[in-house]
Structures are given as C-alpha cells and as structure tokens.
Amino acid sequence: MPSRRMPVVDIALRDVPAVAATPPDRKRVLARLRLTNSSFRTLTLLASILVLVILGGVIIALIEGSLPALRQFGFGFLVSERWNPVTENFGALAPIYGTVVTSIIAMMIAVPFGLLIAVFLTELCPPWLRRPIGIAIELLAGIPSIIYGIWGLFVFAPFLQRTLQPALIDLFGPIPVLSTLFAGPPYGIGTLTAGLILAIMVLPFITSISRDVFEAVPPVLKEAAYGLGCTTWEVVRYVVIPFARVGVTGGVMLGLGRALGETMAVTFVIGNAHRISGSLLAPGTTISATIANEFTEALGDLYTSSLVALGLILFVITFFVLAIARYMLMRIERRIG
Amino acid sequence: MNLYARRRATSRVVMAMSIGATAIGLGWLVLVLGALLWNGFTSLSIAVFTEMTPPPGAAGGLLNPILGSLMMSAVAVAVGTPIGILAGTYMAEYGRYSPLSSVVRFINDILLSAPSIVVGLFIYEVVVRPMGHFSGLAGSIALAVLVIPVVVRTTEDMLLTVPKELREAATALGLPRSHVIANVSYRAARAGIITGILLAVARISGETAPLLFTALNNQFFSADMNAPLASLPVVIFQFAMSPYPEWQNLAWAGALIITFAVLALSISARALAATRNAQ
C-alpha cells in the first residue's frame, strides 16, 4: 500500500519512469490498470464463491462419510436406540433425544430471562448503567464454551447434586408424572445440568438481539401509548413486543441453533450414557457430545461412519433452525431500514 | 380506581421480575468468573509456562499446548483472513447489488453459527482421511474455516459504512475500482477490519470441538505442523475429565489463560471500534 500522502497520479503511474507520458505509455498504463482491476475483481469473486464452496463441501463430505452407516441401517438409524460398538449396531435416537431435551430445557429458561433482561435494559435501566451491563452481556457471549464446561463439571454439578437435585426429588416424588421426570439418585451430572449450562450459554445471544430489536421500536409509538395512560408493562406487552415479535423470534432461533450444536459445555456434564431415560436427572448424551467423546476412539469404518451420520443429522437440523433465524432477522432489518 | 391500582401492580411485578432476571444473569457471570479466577490463580505458577505437560500424577506445565495453540491460531488467521477480507470486499464493493452477494451473505451467516464440531468432521473427511494421519495443519485448516465467516461479516459491514462520496471522488479522479478499494475503502475501514480479525482470533482461541479429531493431541514437545499437535483447549478437556488432581489443576490454569486471552482480545477489539467511532 502506498504511503499516506502519495498523489493519485503517482499511484496510477507508480512504476512508470518520470518522463512526459506519450500516448503509447498512456495506453500501456491504462491497460495495466484495467488488468489489475479485473484480476482483483476476479479474486474477490472467487473468495466469496469459496464461502459457498465451504458449505457445499461440508454437506458433501458429511453425506459421503455417513453413507456406509446409512446403507447398513437405512431409515432405522434415525429411530433406533441401540448403540453397541461391539456388535457394530448403531442408532441415533438417544443422542437426538438428548439434544432436543437439553435444548428445550435451555430455551425454557433462557427465553424468559433474556426477554426480561432486555425489558430492563430498554425500559428501566438508567442510561449510565446501560453500557456497562450491555458490555458484560457481550463478554458473557464471548467466553469459550470449554470454560462453562469445566465450571459445570467442578463447581455447578456438585452444587446441584447437594442442593437442587435432592430438593426436586423430594418435592416431586409424590406427584405421579413429575416423579418419573425427577426420579433416581442425584448424580450431579446429567440431562438437567447440561440444559442449565446451555441456558447460561445462550442467554447472552437472546438478550442482546432482543435488546437491539426493542431499541428499534420507534419512540413515538411508545410515547403515544404512555400518553394514553399505559403502564410500563402495558407498553411492553402491547407496543414493544408486537413490533419486535419477528426479530425476537429470530434471536430465539439463533440461540436454539447454538444450543443444539453446542459441544464442549455439554460433553463435560451430560455423562455420556447412550440411553433414553424418563428422568431428567439421569445421565444421557447429545449428538455433539457423542461425537466429541467417541470419534477418536471409534474403531472400524461403520462406527466412524455412524458418528459422521450423527454429525449430518445435527448439521441438517441446525441449518434449518439457523436459516429460519436469519430469514426472520433479515425481515426485521428490512423493516427497520 | 381499583382497576388502575391492579394495572399498576401488574406492571410493578413484571418490572421487579426484570430487575431480578438481570441481577441473576449478572450474578451468574460473577459466579463463573469468580470460580475461574479462584481455581485458576491457585493453580497458576511459572512452571505452567515453562514445563511440558506431565504424565498422570506428576507436576508439570502447559508449554507445549500453549505453543501448539499459538501456532495453529497463527496459521488459521494467516489463511482465513485474506480469504475473508476478499470475500467481504466483493460483497460490499463489486457485487453490492448482485444476487450472488445476498446468497453468500445468507450462507455466511449460517456458517457463522454452525456447530463447530461439524467443521471438525468436515476437515476430518477432506484432510485427515486422505493424509492418513492427524496433524496440526488439519487443525489449522479447521480453525481457518471458522475464521472466514467472522472476517467476511465484519469486513462487509465496515466497508458498507464507508461513505460512497469518498469512492465517487476517487473514481472521478480516474482511479480504477481496485485502486479505489485499496487506497480509499480499505483505509477508511481499516480499524473495523482489524476489529473483525481480533474477534475471529478470540473466537478460535477457545475452540475445542474442531480440534479433537483434526489436530488430536500430543503429549510431547512438537512444533511439527505435519504431526499431531497439542492445543490448550484439547488439553484442558483431557485433563479436566481425568481423575488426577494435578491434571485438574493444570486444566483450571489453562482455562484461566484462555479466558484472559479471549477477554483481552475482545476488549481491545471494542476499544479499537470505539476510537473509530470517535473520529
């Protein structure tokens, strides 16, 4: 890159000897400029096509890698609970179940919390406090998932084992349906713990998108509602939320995409047990935790291929969730302009 | 008046809940960071930075995984950043109104939040399997695939904020588009583009899942990119899941180092963005 104060003419004629430009020189310079421009254009075009190629490559590589397993087990792979490396009999139902259940727990906690924090930040928070809290939330989003994992394993799981889990067992023991949901000894690690850690991890994403969308509500609408005598809650409920609904849904889907694919935080605390248990306190597994735990130890093509097939299922699910999220966020962006 | 009192009460309850939710959210951040600082600092010593990873039950350090992480991140940034900047340039400059840009933007946003373990599987299939062995190079490529979407996104956003009058002025002087981009757009958006690179480094420095079966791990000192290479996150995973207290302490120390690195990167990215806004 030329130095700061280089005149434009010098940039264009950089390597030309300092003699008066004759018409042939001028022609040569222009031709070179045209060539630089078109090659740079091609280069940038290729780079942006590479982004598409990466996505295509991911899909093709995963399909190709999972073919042996899909050929062997067929559609039964999706609905079978077996996972036996010794007899080479594999089914994806237990990891899929674990992925879905942990994500549901995470969203049930993170969505109300995220929305309430966004309401606080946009409606109640004094302006001087807004920036620090906003920054804290974004830092929370930046902490790598392995940190949450190690914290979950050494601090949070033992804490739950001593306090929350026995309390839940005692509380719901006499109630018919809930007693199966919270049955068994308190292991500390398990599906519930994984769901709670996921909730902490996706909370910042949901909060920051909801806050951005809430802030985009035109002040005139809110002022009009306040002018009619609405309380703060009524303004939020009948003006802010209807206006922001699409954007918030997009943010929630984005958080769901993260929760479904999150690997390390879950792998630490879920217990890696290939079974579907009625109890949320029992160890389970998720798609990503299964791959992370077993891939390097997988012997035999069928085992490896089954794990890649799990990855394919995960990718397909998250692709659609994220595509819906992006579509909704694009809609709200267009509306805000 | 009864109705009015009830409406106000409802509002107060919800607002109290939102204050409570914020307090719990922030409290949780304090709890996680507090436990990390406490356990990390009690395990931190000079040996962590000067000694190799120990065998089970012995004292040692994290020198080889720290080195491995730095090497893989450096290669990943060196590979991923130019591609990301060029792709972002196409979307914001040459192809701003072309349908291809919208497609790339959509796909890029999906790659941005796609599960990183899937990227690990992808690189395993296209790099590790043909090469026949795990390697630091494969780990770097996996990380580069994660760098690209972050850099594409920030580069495009930042170039879009450059006023079009600047480009028009340069074009009016007869500069071809490539020179306008290099001498005007890039210069105006430089701070923003560097912010994006810092964010990308922050993103990959804690990534574990894509390294598990690309770079694998290496108990010994190695700087060979063509062989399995230790990295900080993978060693933390291995050590934390082990039953040995010495290994668990090293895992905490490693977690502290990563968190500090990530926070330092994101705070400097933020500071850089702030100076840019102040201009």
Side-chain angles (χ1 to χ4, degrees):
Chain A
M1 197 177 270
S3 78
R4 212 175 182 84
R5 280 183 234 299
M6 201 162 184
V8 173
V9 178
D10 289 351
I11 296 169
L13 300 174
R14 201 174 310 166
D15 303 321
V16 178
V19 291
T22 55
D25 282 340
R26 187 185 152 77
K27 213 172 205 169
R28 238 191 8 256
V29 168
L30 283 178
R32 209 181 56 231
L33 288 180
R34 213 168 285 135
L35 183 70
T36 325
N37 185 37
S38 62
S39 40
F40 188 63
R41 187 196 154 96
T42 315
L43 202 64
T44 59
L45 179 65
L46 288 178
S48 62
I49 289 174
L50 187 70
V51 174
L52 303 182
V53 171
I54 290 176
L55 184 87
V58 170
I59 296 171
I60 292 168
L62 289 181
I63 291 178
E64 208 201 318
S66 56
L67 270 183
L70 297 180
R71 224 175 263 140
Q72 175 80 20
F73 305 116
F75 182 70
F77 186 73
L78 279 178
V79 292
S80 158
E81 200 194 325
R82 298 155 303 176
W83 189 267
N84 191 337
V86 182
T87 60
E88 298 218 307
N89 210 340
F90 300 104
L93 195 60
I96 294 176
Y97 172 83
T99 300
V100 171
V101 170
T102 49
S103 299
I104 290 175
I105 297 173
M107 299 320 278
M108 273 168 56
I109 296 165
V111 171
F113 267 82
L115 290 179
L116 283 172
I117 296 177
V119 168
F120 173 79
L121 285 175
T122 50
E123 303 298 325
L124 297 178
C125 187
W128 58 269
L129 203 58
R130 224 170 260 189
R131 244 179 82 78
I133 294 184
I135 290 174
I137 287 168
E138 268 150 51
L139 291 183
L140 203 60
I143 295 179
S145 60
I146 192 162
I147 306 297
Y148 291 99
I150 191 172
W151 179 78
L153 179 69
F154 288 125
V155 182
F156 194 48
F159 171 76
L160 288 180
Q161 189 175 18
R162 282 195 312 272
T163 54
L164 181 68
Q165 294 190 348
L168 285 173
I169 294 169
D170 290 344
L171 184 63
F172 295 117
I175 308 169
V177 181
L178 291 173
S179 67
T180 32
L181 214 52
F182 298 100
Y187 292 105
I189 56 175
T191 312
L192 179 68
T193 313
L196 291 175
I197 299 257
L198 279 181
I200 304 168
M201 289 204 56
V202 296
L203 182 61
F205 296 105
I206 296 177
T207 306
S208 72
I209 292 182
S210 309
R211 180 200 56 190
D212 292 349
V213 184
F214 283 3
E215 270 173 359
V217 178
V220 185
L221 291 184
K222 288 199 277 187
E223 283 156 13
Y226 279 122
L228 290 174
C230 284
T231 62
T232 314
W233 164 240
E234 284 161 352
V235 171
V236 171
R237 170 73 187 77
Y238 298 107
V239 177
V240 175
I241 289 182
F243 187 91
R245 194 167 43 212
V246 180
V248 169
T249 318
V252 169
M253 298 294 273
L254 202 62
L256 179 62
R258 296 260 173 181
L260 289 168
E262 178 45 49
T263 309
M264 295 324 290
V266 172
T267 308
F268 273 101
V269 295
I270 191 134
N272 201 36
H274 273 277
R275 57 160 187 261
I276 297 177
S277 171
S279 170
L280 295 179
L281 304 184
T285 192
T286 67
I287 294 178
S288 48
T290 305
I291 302 173
N293 266 315
E294 301 180 21
F295 198 84
T296 47
E297 286 150 23
L299 296 169
D301 284 345
L302 200 58
Y303 195 176
T304 310
S305 170
S306 302
L307 289 170
V308 177
L310 279 183
L312 179 65
I313 296 170
L314 176 66
F315 188 69
V316 171
I317 299 174
T318 47
F319 184 90
F320 282 110
V321 169
L322 292 173
I324 296 170
R326 288 299 171 188
Y327 173 70
M328 289 183 145
L329 290 174
M330 251 157 63
R331 260 177 59 189
I332 191 90
E333 265 164 32
R334 210 168 293 153
R335 174 144 46 126
I336 294 165
Chain B
M1 214 54 207
N2 192 11
L3 176 68
Y4 182 57
R6 206 168 60 227
R7 283 171 51 204
R8 272 183 30 157
T10 318
S11 180
R12 286 229 178 88
V13 168
V14 178
M15 292 311 131
M17 278 163 63
S18 84
I19 293 172
T22 311
I24 292 175
L26 291 176
W28 221 304
L29 176 67
V30 172
L31 277 180
V32 174
L33 288 181
L36 180 71
L37 291 176
W38 174 253
N39 289 294
F41 272 116
T42 48
S43 319
L44 207 59
S45 63
I46 296 293
V48 169
F49 298 99
T50 55
E51 289 179 23
M52 304 294 136
T53 45
L62 294 168
L63 179 61
N64 45 334
I66 292 175
L67 205 70
S69 276
L70 288 177
M71 282 167 56
M72 281 194 280
S73 302
V75 174
V77 171
V79 173
T81 307
I83 297 175
I85 291 180
L86 286 173
T89 305
Y90 179 80
M91 290 153 69
E93 299 277 350
Y94 287 113
R96 188 179 283 201
Y97 304 105
S98 91
L100 176 70
S101 294
S102 331
V103 176
V104 173
R105 190 173 303 126
F106 191 73
I107 297 297
N108 187 66
D109 279 349
I110 286 175
L111 283 178
L112 198 61
S113 4
S116 55
I117 193 153
V118 170
V119 172
L121 287 175
F122 166 56
I123 298 301
Y124 176 84
E125 292 288 339
V126 300
V127 180
V128 177
R129 207 196 272 268
M131 277 173 75
H133 58 89
F134 299 105
S135 67
L137 196 63
S140 307
I141 299 175
L143 293 181
V145 170
L146 295 171
V147 166
I148 292 172
V150 182
V151 177
V152 170
R153 180 71 195 263
T154 43
T155 305
E156 195 207 353
D157 285 352
M158 289 305 143
L159 288 177
L160 286 178
T161 61
V162 176
K164 69 174 191 300
E165 288 77 8
L166 287 181
R167 291 193 193 95
E168 285 164 358
T171 309
L173 291 175
L175 278 189
R177 197 66 195 264
S178 57
H179 288 64
V180 175
I181 294 168
N183 295 295
V184 177
S185 302
Y186 279 166
R187 190 168 291 172
R190 187 164 50 194
I193 294 174
I194 295 174
T195 303
I197 299 171
L198 288 178
L199 289 177
V201 179
R203 159 105 201 258
I204 60 169
S205 51
E207 278 292 351
T208 319
L211 296 178
L212 285 172
F213 29 82
T214 51
L216 200 67
N217 198 352
N218 195 336
Q219 209 184 324
F220 306 105
F221 184 83
S222 165
D224 184 3
M225 288 298 268
N226 200 25
L229 196 61
S231 63
L232 211 40
V234 175
V235 168
I236 293 174
F237 178 49
Q238 184 200 348
F239 281 14
M241 297 294 261
S242 80
Y244 314 108
E246 291 85 357
W247 276 17
Q248 293 178 354
N249 284 337
L250 278 178
W252 276 114
L256 185 69
I257 296 172
I258 288 191
T259 310
F260 265 119
V262 170
L263 289 185
L265 283 165
S266 20
I267 289 169
S268 32
R270 185 174 286 282
L272 199 64
T275 55
R276 189 180 155 278
N277 288 341
Q279 273 170 10

